Amino acid sequence: MKTSNTVTMNAPYERIFELGSRVERWAQILPHYRFVRVLREDGNRRLVRMSAWRDFIPVTWSAVQTIHPGTAEQPGRIEFHHVRGMVKGMDVVWLFDVEGADGPVHVTIAHDLPKPAFPVKLLGPRLIDTVVGQGFIGYIAGKTLRRIKDLAERDQG
């Protein structure tokens, strides 16, 4: 299963990267997040326990987050590797494409679940793509990007 969401934001790369990488604040700034707990931290890597709402359904997982800081000229990336939950083994990467010094930033969250674990693998490839990829992962990632866009652009006056 592979899925991605992209949103164009008219805000400084640094502001967008900060909002995306500081997951410890997500439950305060993203209404669809229930909680985020940093369980362990080591340099640019940390183990996090996260939970979000898909409408009225709670979804909870643990992931290793790796932050690769950058600049507008050389954008960084934010990576997650899911180590617990229904999509254990999934890799997630936030990618940033900055158009010029004051141009927009195209932010993509890409998900790759090469080998779904039990019981998700019982759904089969088509249902995994539709239900898990689009219905849950894509839905939550889309809400995350739209809210971060709102927050990043709000400060631009």
Side-chain angles (χ1 to χ4, degrees):
M1 182 221 63
K2 291 184 184 222
T3 186
S4 65
N5 298 68
T6 302
V7 169
T8 300
M9 303 184 193
N10 294 301
Y13 160 80
E14 293 80 5
R15 173 77 176 137
I16 298 165
F17 193 89
E18 176 190 3
L19 290 166
S21 64
R22 293 193 57 206
V23 295
E24 68 275 10
R25 294 190 59 234
W26 282 11
Q28 289 81 43
I29 65 171
L30 304 175
H32 59 291
Y33 265 77
R34 299 173 60 217
F35 64 83
V36 176
R37 295 186 186 105
V38 177
L39 305 176
R40 190 170 50 242
E41 197 160 358
D42 182 20
N44 68 334
R45 292 173 54 107
R46 50 185 156 168
L47 177 63
V48 294
R49 182 88 171 138
M50 307 173 89
S51 187
W53 291 106
R54 192 335 179 170
D55 294 329
F56 60 89
I57 302 169
V59 183
T60 303
W61 65 95
S62 294
V64 174
Q65 178 193 33
T66 306
I67 301 169
H68 302 277
T71 64
E73 294 77 29
Q74 292 286 327
R77 66 187 185 285
I78 306 164
E79 299 172 348
F80 296 89
H81 177 72
H82 287 232
V83 295
R84 287 189 76 179
M86 296 295 280
V87 290
K88 179 180 177 179
M90 183 169 69
D91 290 309
V92 180
V93 62
W94 285 52
L95 302 167
F96 303 86
D97 179 17
V98 182
E99 282 189 31
D102 294 322
V105 180
H106 309 285
V107 184
T108 298
I109 303 177
H111 299 83
D112 183 14
L113 181 60
K115 294 182 180 180
F118 181 84
V120 172
K121 71 179 178 180
L122 296 176
L123 294 173
R126 187 172 302 187
L127 283 178
I128 290 172
D129 284 344
T130 304
V131 175
V132 178
Q134 295 170 27
F136 279 85
I137 294 166
Y139 178 86
I140 291 169
K143 286 185 85 162
T144 299
L145 283 174
R146 289 189 300 275
R147 177 66 176 151
I148 286 179
K149 172 184 172 72
D150 290 345
L151 292 169
E153 291 179 354
R154 177 185 304 161
D155 294 339
Q156 301 314 298

